[in-house]
Amino acid sequence: MGNKERMSIGELESFFRHVADYFEHQSPSLVPEFVFHGGEPLLLPHDYFRTFCDLQKKYLDSKGIKYRNSLQTNLFQVGDRTLDLLQELDISLGVSFDVFGEQRVDIKGKDSRDNVMDNLQKLIDRRMSFGVINVLHAQNIDYVINTFHFFNNLAIDYRILPISSMVEPPPRMQPLMVNHKQIVQAYQIIALEQFSTQSNIKIYPLRDYFLAAMRYLTEKKVRRFEPAKKEWVAIVNVNGDIYNYGEAYLPQGYMGNIFRQSLSEILTSSHHQQTVIMREKRMETCRRCQFDQKCHQIPIAESQKSDRTYNQKGELECTIAKPMIQFIIQQIKQSPQAQLLLKSYSISPELSTEYQL
Protein backbone atom coordinates (compact mmCIF):
# COMPACT_ATOMS: atom_id res chain seq x y z
CA MET A 1 0.00 0.00 0.00
CA GLY A 2 1.12 3.57 -0.63
CA ASN A 3 1.91 6.17 2.02
CA LYS A 4 -1.44 7.48 3.31
CA GLU A 5 0.08 10.27 5.41
CA ARG A 6 -1.72 13.59 5.11
CA MET A 7 -2.05 16.89 6.94
CA SER A 8 -4.21 16.71 10.06
CA ILE A 9 -7.13 19.09 10.51
CA GLY A 10 -5.16 21.04 13.11
CA GLU A 11 -2.24 21.36 10.71
CA LEU A 12 -4.57 22.54 7.94
CA GLU A 13 -5.89 25.19 10.36
CA SER A 14 -2.35 26.47 10.92
CA PHE A 15 -1.66 26.37 7.20
CA PHE A 16 -4.68 28.45 6.18
CA ARG A 17 -4.31 30.86 9.08
CA HIS A 18 -0.76 31.67 7.96
CA VAL A 19 -1.77 31.84 4.30
CA ALA A 20 -4.63 34.22 5.12
CA ASP A 21 -2.44 36.48 7.25
CA TYR A 22 -0.02 36.83 4.33
CA PHE A 23 -2.42 37.29 1.42
CA GLU A 24 -4.58 39.74 3.36
CA HIS A 25 -1.80 42.28 2.78
CA GLN A 26 -1.05 41.38 -0.85
CA SER A 27 -2.52 42.78 -4.06
CA PRO A 28 -5.99 41.32 -4.86
CA SER A 29 -4.56 40.38 -8.28
CA LEU A 30 -2.32 37.83 -6.55
CA VAL A 31 -4.64 34.81 -6.44
CA PRO A 32 -3.19 31.67 -4.79
CA GLU A 33 -3.98 28.24 -6.21
CA PHE A 34 -3.96 25.21 -3.94
CA VAL A 35 -3.08 21.94 -5.68
CA PHE A 36 -3.68 18.48 -4.24
CA HIS A 37 -0.87 16.27 -5.56
CA GLY A 38 1.34 13.31 -4.73
CA GLY A 39 0.14 9.75 -5.06
CA GLU A 40 -3.59 9.75 -5.88
CA PRO A 41 -5.47 12.55 -4.05
CA LEU A 42 -8.86 11.14 -5.13
CA LEU A 43 -8.31 8.39 -2.55
CA LEU A 44 -8.74 10.96 0.23
CA PRO A 45 -12.05 10.73 2.14
CA HIS A 46 -14.79 13.05 0.99
CA ASP A 47 -15.00 14.58 4.46
CA TYR A 48 -11.36 15.63 4.16
CA PHE A 49 -12.08 17.67 1.03
CA ARG A 50 -15.11 19.26 2.71
CA THR A 51 -13.09 20.19 5.78
CA PHE A 52 -10.31 21.58 3.60
CA CYS A 53 -12.77 23.86 1.80
CA ASP A 54 -14.57 24.80 5.03
CA LEU A 55 -11.26 26.00 6.45
CA GLN A 56 -10.65 28.05 3.31
CA LYS A 57 -14.01 29.75 3.84
CA LYS A 58 -13.17 30.36 7.50
CA TYR A 59 -9.76 31.91 6.89
CA LEU A 60 -9.72 33.14 3.28
CA ASP A 61 -13.30 33.94 2.29
CA SER A 62 -13.81 35.80 5.55
CA LYS A 63 -11.02 38.21 4.54
CA GLY A 64 -12.12 38.56 0.92
CA ILE A 65 -9.14 36.60 -0.41
CA LYS A 66 -9.81 34.96 -3.76
CA TYR A 67 -8.25 31.58 -4.55
CA ARG A 68 -8.51 28.48 -6.75
CA ASN A 69 -8.35 24.76 -6.02
CA SER A 70 -7.16 21.98 -8.31
CA LEU A 71 -6.17 18.35 -8.05
CA GLN A 72 -3.73 16.13 -9.95
CA THR A 73 -5.05 12.65 -10.70
CA ASN A 74 -4.43 9.62 -12.91
CA LEU A 75 -8.25 9.37 -13.22
CA PHE A 76 -7.98 5.60 -13.24
CA GLN A 77 -10.88 5.14 -10.86
CA VAL A 78 -13.42 7.81 -9.99
CA GLY A 79 -17.08 7.46 -9.07
CA ASP A 80 -20.01 9.76 -9.72
CA ARG A 81 -20.23 10.73 -6.03
CA THR A 82 -16.63 11.92 -6.14
CA LEU A 83 -17.24 13.93 -9.31
CA ASP A 84 -20.36 15.42 -7.70
CA LEU A 85 -18.23 16.49 -4.76
CA LEU A 86 -15.51 18.05 -6.90
CA GLN A 87 -18.08 20.04 -8.85
CA GLU A 88 -19.80 21.14 -5.65
CA LEU A 89 -16.50 22.32 -4.14
CA ASP A 90 -15.29 23.84 -7.44
CA ILE A 91 -12.09 21.79 -7.57
CA SER A 92 -10.69 21.57 -11.10
CA LEU A 93 -8.72 18.58 -12.32
CA GLY A 94 -5.34 17.99 -13.91
CA VAL A 95 -5.39 14.51 -15.45
CA SER A 96 -2.20 12.59 -16.15
CA PHE A 97 -2.86 10.66 -19.37
CA ASP A 98 -0.31 9.47 -21.93
CA VAL A 99 -2.80 8.28 -24.63
CA PHE A 100 -0.08 6.08 -26.19
CA GLY A 101 2.76 4.05 -24.70
CA GLU A 102 1.02 1.56 -22.38
CA GLN A 103 2.96 2.75 -19.34
CA ARG A 104 -0.10 3.32 -17.15
CA VAL A 105 -1.15 0.02 -15.64
CA ASP A 106 -3.27 -1.07 -12.67
CA ILE A 107 -2.09 -3.32 -9.83
CA LYS A 108 -2.77 -6.36 -12.03
CA GLY A 109 -0.52 -5.01 -14.78
CA LYS A 110 -3.45 -4.25 -17.09
CA ASP A 111 -3.31 -1.13 -19.26
CA SER A 112 -5.52 1.55 -17.67
CA ARG A 113 -6.14 3.51 -20.89
CA ASP A 114 -9.75 2.39 -21.40
CA ASN A 115 -10.69 3.27 -17.83
CA VAL A 116 -9.18 6.72 -18.13
CA MET A 117 -10.89 7.26 -21.51
CA ASP A 118 -14.27 6.41 -19.97
CA ASN A 119 -13.65 8.76 -17.07
CA LEU A 120 -12.48 11.56 -19.37
CA GLN A 121 -15.79 11.24 -21.18
CA LYS A 122 -17.55 11.65 -17.84
CA LEU A 123 -15.71 14.93 -17.27
CA ILE A 124 -16.62 16.15 -20.75
CA ASP A 125 -20.28 15.18 -20.32
CA ARG A 126 -20.40 17.01 -16.99
CA ARG A 127 -18.66 20.08 -18.47
CA MET A 128 -16.10 19.92 -15.67
CA SER A 129 -13.01 22.10 -15.68
CA PHE A 130 -9.91 20.04 -16.40
CA GLY A 131 -6.65 19.88 -18.33
CA VAL A 132 -4.32 17.02 -19.15
CA ILE A 133 -0.66 16.32 -18.41
CA ASN A 134 0.74 14.19 -21.22
CA VAL A 135 3.97 12.47 -20.19
CA LEU A 136 6.40 12.27 -23.12
CA HIS A 137 8.70 9.26 -23.09
CA ALA A 138 10.64 6.96 -25.40
CA GLN A 139 7.67 4.67 -25.96
CA ASN A 140 5.23 7.36 -27.13
CA ILE A 141 7.49 10.02 -28.67
CA ASP A 142 6.77 8.70 -32.17
CA TYR A 143 3.05 9.32 -31.60
CA VAL A 144 3.12 13.04 -30.78
CA ILE A 145 1.06 13.96 -33.87
CA ASN A 146 -1.53 11.31 -33.02
CA THR A 147 -1.62 12.60 -29.46
CA PHE A 148 -2.11 16.17 -30.66
CA HIS A 149 -5.05 15.19 -32.87
CA PHE A 150 -6.57 13.15 -30.04
CA PHE A 151 -6.70 16.18 -27.76
CA ASN A 152 -7.47 18.65 -30.54
CA ASN A 153 -10.50 16.66 -31.65
CA LEU A 154 -11.79 16.71 -28.08
CA ALA A 155 -10.87 20.41 -27.60
CA ILE A 156 -8.77 19.57 -24.51
CA ASP A 157 -5.80 21.72 -23.47
CA TYR A 158 -2.76 19.73 -22.40
CA ARG A 159 0.74 20.07 -21.00
CA ILE A 160 3.62 17.95 -22.23
CA LEU A 161 5.87 16.65 -19.46
CA PRO A 162 8.99 14.88 -20.81
CA ILE A 163 10.79 12.12 -18.93
CA SER A 164 14.37 13.26 -19.23
CA SER A 165 17.36 13.08 -16.91
CA MET A 166 20.90 14.37 -17.06
CA VAL A 167 21.79 12.13 -14.11
CA GLU A 168 21.62 8.34 -13.89
CA PRO A 169 17.93 7.34 -13.69
CA PRO A 170 16.78 4.20 -11.84
CA PRO A 171 16.89 1.02 -13.98
CA ARG A 172 13.12 0.81 -14.42
CA MET A 173 13.06 4.35 -15.87
CA GLN A 174 16.01 4.04 -18.25
CA PRO A 175 13.98 2.61 -21.19
CA LEU A 176 11.66 5.64 -21.00
CA MET A 177 14.26 8.40 -21.08
CA VAL A 178 14.36 10.98 -23.90
CA ASN A 179 17.14 13.54 -24.35
CA HIS A 180 16.78 17.27 -24.88
CA LYS A 181 17.39 17.03 -28.63
CA GLN A 182 14.54 14.52 -28.95
CA ILE A 183 12.28 16.74 -26.88
CA VAL A 184 12.94 19.79 -29.09
CA GLN A 185 12.31 17.72 -32.24
CA ALA A 186 9.03 16.44 -30.81
CA TYR A 187 7.94 19.97 -29.83
CA GLN A 188 8.76 21.25 -33.31
CA ILE A 189 6.71 18.48 -34.93
CA ILE A 190 3.72 19.32 -32.73
CA ALA A 191 4.08 23.07 -33.33
CA LEU A 192 4.14 22.60 -37.12
CA GLU A 193 1.13 20.32 -36.95
CA GLN A 194 -0.83 22.81 -34.88
CA PHE A 195 0.16 25.69 -37.18
CA SER A 196 -1.25 23.75 -40.15
CA THR A 197 -4.42 22.57 -38.39
CA GLN A 198 -7.59 24.30 -37.29
CA SER A 199 -6.86 24.29 -33.59
CA ASN A 200 -7.79 26.46 -30.62
CA ILE A 201 -6.38 24.31 -27.85
CA LYS A 202 -3.48 25.42 -25.69
CA ILE A 203 -0.48 23.11 -25.56
CA TYR A 204 2.08 23.88 -22.88
CA PRO A 205 4.97 24.62 -22.86
CA LEU A 206 4.57 25.37 -26.61
CA ARG A 207 2.12 28.14 -25.77
CA ASP A 208 4.74 29.78 -23.55
CA TYR A 209 7.34 29.61 -26.32
CA PHE A 210 4.89 31.09 -28.81
CA LEU A 211 4.12 34.03 -26.51
CA ALA A 212 7.84 34.61 -25.93
CA ALA A 213 8.36 34.68 -29.70
CA MET A 214 5.52 37.16 -30.10
CA ARG A 215 7.00 39.40 -27.39
CA TYR A 216 10.32 39.34 -29.20
CA LEU A 217 8.72 40.27 -32.53
CA THR A 218 6.47 42.96 -31.02
CA GLU A 219 9.19 44.31 -28.68
CA LYS A 220 7.20 43.62 -25.52
CA LYS A 221 8.57 42.43 -22.19
CA VAL A 222 7.51 40.64 -19.04
CA ARG A 223 8.96 41.46 -15.66
CA ARG A 224 11.91 39.42 -14.54
CA PHE A 225 11.16 36.60 -12.15
CA GLU A 226 12.35 37.83 -8.76
CA PRO A 227 11.75 35.11 -6.15
CA ALA A 228 12.93 37.44 -3.40
CA LYS A 229 9.82 39.56 -4.05
CA LYS A 230 7.29 37.13 -5.47
CA GLU A 231 7.34 33.34 -5.52
CA TRP A 232 6.02 31.34 -8.46
CA VAL A 233 5.20 28.15 -6.56
CA ALA A 234 5.82 26.62 -3.15
CA ILE A 235 5.87 22.86 -2.65
CA VAL A 236 4.33 22.00 0.75
CA ASN A 237 5.14 18.62 2.26
CA VAL A 238 2.62 16.87 4.52
CA ASN A 239 4.78 17.81 7.54
CA GLY A 240 4.50 21.53 6.66
CA ASP A 241 8.00 21.93 5.22
CA ILE A 242 8.07 24.29 2.21
CA TYR A 243 10.44 24.05 -0.76
CA ASN A 244 11.05 25.83 -4.03
CA TYR A 245 10.24 23.79 -7.15
CA GLY A 246 13.75 23.22 -8.48
CA GLU A 247 14.98 21.70 -5.22
CA ALA A 248 11.69 20.20 -4.03
CA TYR A 249 12.11 17.96 -0.96
CA LEU A 250 15.89 18.50 -0.97
CA PRO A 251 17.66 20.10 2.04
CA GLN A 252 18.98 22.99 -0.08
CA GLY A 253 15.44 23.82 -1.22
CA TYR A 254 13.98 24.06 2.30
CA MET A 255 12.48 27.49 3.04
CA GLY A 256 10.67 26.94 6.34
CA ASN A 257 7.68 25.24 7.95
CA ILE A 258 4.19 26.65 7.37
CA PHE A 259 2.78 24.99 10.51
CA ARG A 260 5.28 26.72 12.79
CA GLN A 261 6.02 29.94 10.90
CA SER A 262 4.06 32.63 9.13
CA LEU A 263 4.54 33.00 5.40
CA SER A 264 6.08 36.41 5.97
CA GLU A 265 8.67 34.85 8.29
CA ILE A 266 9.42 32.10 5.78
CA LEU A 267 9.80 34.48 2.83
CA THR A 268 12.21 36.70 4.76
CA SER A 269 14.21 33.86 6.33
CA SER A 270 17.84 32.97 5.65
CA HIS A 271 16.66 29.61 4.31
CA HIS A 272 14.51 31.35 1.70
CA GLN A 273 17.35 33.71 0.82
CA GLN A 274 19.58 30.73 0.07
CA THR A 275 17.02 29.39 -2.42
CA VAL A 276 16.84 32.86 -3.99
CA ILE A 277 20.61 32.96 -4.46
CA MET A 278 20.59 29.55 -6.18
CA ARG A 279 17.83 30.57 -8.56
CA GLU A 280 19.31 33.97 -9.37
CA LYS A 281 22.58 32.21 -10.17
CA ARG A 282 20.74 29.97 -12.63
CA MET A 283 18.99 32.97 -14.16
CA GLU A 284 22.31 34.44 -15.21
CA THR A 285 21.67 32.23 -18.24
CA CYS A 286 18.56 34.32 -18.96
CA ARG A 287 20.44 37.59 -18.56
CA ARG A 288 22.85 36.51 -21.32
CA CYS A 289 20.01 35.50 -23.65
CA GLN A 290 18.43 37.54 -26.46
CA PHE A 291 15.05 36.44 -25.11
CA ASP A 292 15.58 37.82 -21.60
CA GLN A 293 12.23 39.21 -20.42
CA LYS A 294 10.54 37.72 -23.48
CA CYS A 295 10.50 34.25 -21.90
CA HIS A 296 9.24 34.06 -18.31
CA GLN A 297 12.52 32.50 -17.04
CA ILE A 298 10.85 29.82 -14.92
CA PRO A 299 12.24 26.88 -16.98
CA ILE A 300 15.75 27.97 -15.99
CA ALA A 301 15.12 29.42 -12.54
CA GLU A 302 13.20 26.38 -11.31
CA SER A 303 14.93 23.71 -13.40
CA GLN A 304 15.59 20.53 -11.48
CA LYS A 305 19.03 18.95 -11.27
CA SER A 306 18.02 16.17 -13.66
CA ASP A 307 17.17 18.77 -16.35
CA ARG A 308 20.28 20.97 -16.15
CA THR A 309 23.02 20.95 -18.79
CA TYR A 310 26.22 22.99 -18.67
CA ASN A 311 28.69 24.17 -21.30
CA GLN A 312 32.47 23.82 -21.10
CA LYS A 313 32.67 27.04 -19.08
CA GLY A 314 30.37 25.54 -16.47
CA GLU A 315 27.51 27.84 -17.47
CA LEU A 316 23.95 26.55 -17.33
CA GLU A 317 22.48 26.23 -20.83
CA CYS A 318 18.92 26.67 -22.05
CA THR A 319 18.63 23.65 -24.33
CA ILE A 320 14.87 23.51 -24.89
CA ALA A 321 13.12 26.87 -24.44
CA LYS A 322 15.67 28.94 -26.40
CA PRO A 323 15.81 26.75 -29.55
CA MET A 324 12.03 26.43 -29.48
CA ILE A 325 11.53 30.21 -29.33
CA GLN A 326 13.99 30.61 -32.21
CA PHE A 327 12.14 27.95 -34.20
CA ILE A 328 8.73 29.56 -33.66
CA ILE A 329 10.06 33.02 -34.63
CA GLN A 330 11.34 31.52 -37.87
CA GLN A 331 8.00 29.85 -38.56
CA ILE A 332 6.06 33.05 -37.88
CA LYS A 333 8.30 35.04 -40.22
CA GLN A 334 7.79 32.47 -42.97
CA SER A 335 4.01 32.43 -42.61
CA PRO A 336 2.06 34.45 -45.22
CA GLN A 337 -0.27 35.52 -42.43
CA ALA A 338 2.53 36.55 -40.09
CA GLN A 339 1.79 40.27 -40.16
CA LEU A 340 -1.87 39.70 -39.33
CA LEU A 341 -0.81 37.41 -36.51
CA LEU A 342 1.62 39.96 -35.15
CA LYS A 343 -0.98 42.71 -35.33
CA SER A 344 -3.61 40.66 -33.49
CA TYR A 345 -1.18 39.71 -30.72
CA SER A 346 0.38 43.14 -30.31
CA ILE A 347 -2.53 44.11 -28.04
CA SER A 348 -2.99 40.70 -26.40
CA PRO A 349 -2.96 40.81 -22.56
CA GLU A 350 -1.29 37.39 -22.62
CA LEU A 351 1.93 39.02 -23.76
CA SER A 352 2.28 40.73 -20.40
CA THR A 353 1.26 37.74 -18.29
CA GLU A 354 3.90 36.97 -15.64
CA TYR A 355 5.16 33.57 -14.56
CA GLN A 356 2.57 31.58 -16.52
CA LEU A 357 3.84 28.03 -16.84
Side-chain angles (χ1 to χ4, degrees):
M1 298 294 290
N3 188 343
K4 296 182 179 180
E5 186 180 3
R6 60 176 182 261
M7 294 181 187
S8 69
I9 302 307
E11 289 168 338
L12 283 175
E13 287 246 18
S14 297
F15 173 76
F16 283 120
R17 183 173 64 252
H18 287 147
V19 169
D21 289 345
Y22 177 78
F23 280 94
E24 183 180 17
H25 304 290
Q26 303 303 311
S27 167
S29 63
L30 191 60
V31 179
E33 179 173 359
F34 302 92
V35 183
F36 293 89
H37 70 97
E40 178 45 72
L42 288 181
L43 295 177
L44 289 168
H46 287 190
D47 286 347
Y48 191 84
F49 287 110
R50 290 192 182 280
T51 300
F52 184 94
C53 292
D54 286 343
L55 290 173
Q56 287 181 317
K57 292 176 183 177
K58 177 180 177 180
Y59 289 102
L60 302 180
D61 289 43
S62 63
K63 294 185 177 182
I65 300 170
K66 295 182 179 180
Y67 55 89
R68 296 185 294 268
N69 290 324
S70 62
L71 181 151
Q72 296 294 325
T73 174
N74 59 28
L75 207 67
F76 174 64
Q77 189 172 5
V78 58
D80 289 333
R81 286 184 61 249
T82 298
L83 294 180
D84 289 341
L85 178 72
L86 296 175
Q87 285 189 289
E88 175 192 339
L89 299 178
D90 194 24
I91 299 175
S92 62
L93 292 175
V95 179
S96 184
F97 183 41
D98 298 350
V99 187
F100 300 96
E102 298 184 357
Q103 287 302 306
R104 306 283 182 166
V105 295
D106 61 19
I107 58 174
K108 297 180 180 179
K110 182 181 177 182
D111 185 12
S112 63
R113 183 177 186 272
D114 290 344
N115 286 55
V116 177
M117 287 280 289
D118 291 342
N119 290 327
L120 272 178
Q121 188 60 53
K122 288 183 182 180
L123 302 185
I124 294 171
D125 292 342
R126 285 171 169 261
R127 301 179 184 274
M128 291 185 68
S129 174
F130 74 97
V132 171
I133 293 176
N134 177 242
V135 177
L136 181 70
H137 53 75
Q139 296 183 17
N140 68 7
I141 197 168
D142 293 333
Y143 297 93
V144 291
I145 290 181
N146 307 68
T147 300
F148 160 71
H149 284 292
F150 174 86
F151 290 122
N152 192 54
N153 290 338
L154 293 174
I156 297 175
D157 297 340
Y158 69 105
R159 173 175 296 282
I160 305 169
L161 184 64
I163 296 183
S164 177
S165 181
M166 308 312 296
V167 297
E168 188 67 23
R172 67 181 182 86
M173 297 298 293
Q174 289 177 5
L176 300 177
M177 292 293 118
V178 290
N179 60 44
H180 287 193
K181 182 178 180 180
Q182 290 174 302
I183 294 168
V184 170
Q185 289 174 339
Y187 285 173
Q188 290 176 350
I189 290 170
I190 300 167
L192 289 175
E193 190 69 13
Q194 187 174 34
F195 287 159
S196 63
T197 305
Q198 186 173 354
S199 172
N200 292 316
I201 66 170
K202 296 177 181 178
I203 307 171
Y204 294 96
L206 304 190
R207 182 71 176 177
D208 296 318
Y209 304 148
F210 175 78
L211 292 175
M214 296 302 294
R215 292 187 194 105
Y216 180 80
L217 293 169
T218 57
E219 299 183 347
K220 290 185 178 293
K221 291 183 178 181
V222 288
R223 289 178 58 188
R224 288 178 173 175
F225 174 44
E226 298 179 283
K229 297 180 179 179
K230 179 182 175 182
E231 280 290 356
W232 167 63
V233 70
I235 306 295
V236 186
N237 204 353
V238 291
N239 64 358
D241 288 345
I242 290 187
Y243 303 85
N244 71 290
Y245 183 85
E247 281 77 24
Y249 307 114
L250 298 176
Q252 58 267 41
Y254 174 79
M255 297 191 286
N257 186 286
I258 191 66
F259 298 157
R260 301 190 297 267
Q261 300 168 272
S262 70
L263 261 180
S264 294
E265 289 174 333
I266 291 171
L267 296 177
T268 55
S269 69
S270 59
H271 287 297
H272 180 255
Q273 179 58 25
Q274 288 303 309
T275 72
V276 170
I277 292 171
M278 287 189 302
R279 288 176 282 174
E280 288 182 341
K281 176 65 176 178
R282 290 198 285 266
M283 282 190 289
E284 290 177 6
T285 297
C286 301
R287 305 292 88 88
R288 296 189 297 267
C289 179
Q290 68 194 103
F291 303 124
D292 187 27
Q293 293 186 261
K294 311 299 182 184
C295 171
H296 47 51
Q297 307 129 81
I298 300 295
I300 287 292
E302 296 291 3
S303 62
Q304 297 183 328
K305 183 178 180 180
S306 60
D307 289 325
R308 298 172 201 154
T309 58
Y310 298 85
N311 61 24
Q312 293 181 344
K313 297 179 181 179
E315 299 169 332
L316 182 63
E317 293 186 307
C318 183
T319 56
I320 296 178
K322 185 175 181 178
M324 278 304 302
I325 295 169
Q326 291 170 329
F327 173 80
I328 291 174
I329 288 173
Q330 182 183 29
Q331 295 305 313
I332 291 174
K333 287 182 175 180
Q334 291 175 351
S335 168
Q337 297 180 329
Q339 294 308 311
L340 292 176
L341 192 65
L342 289 172
K343 184 177 180 181
S344 66
Y345 267 86
S346 65
I347 58 173
S348 171
E350 281 190 283
L351 294 186
S352 59
T353 300
E354 296 177 45
Y355 314 154
Q356 181 180 343
L357 186 65

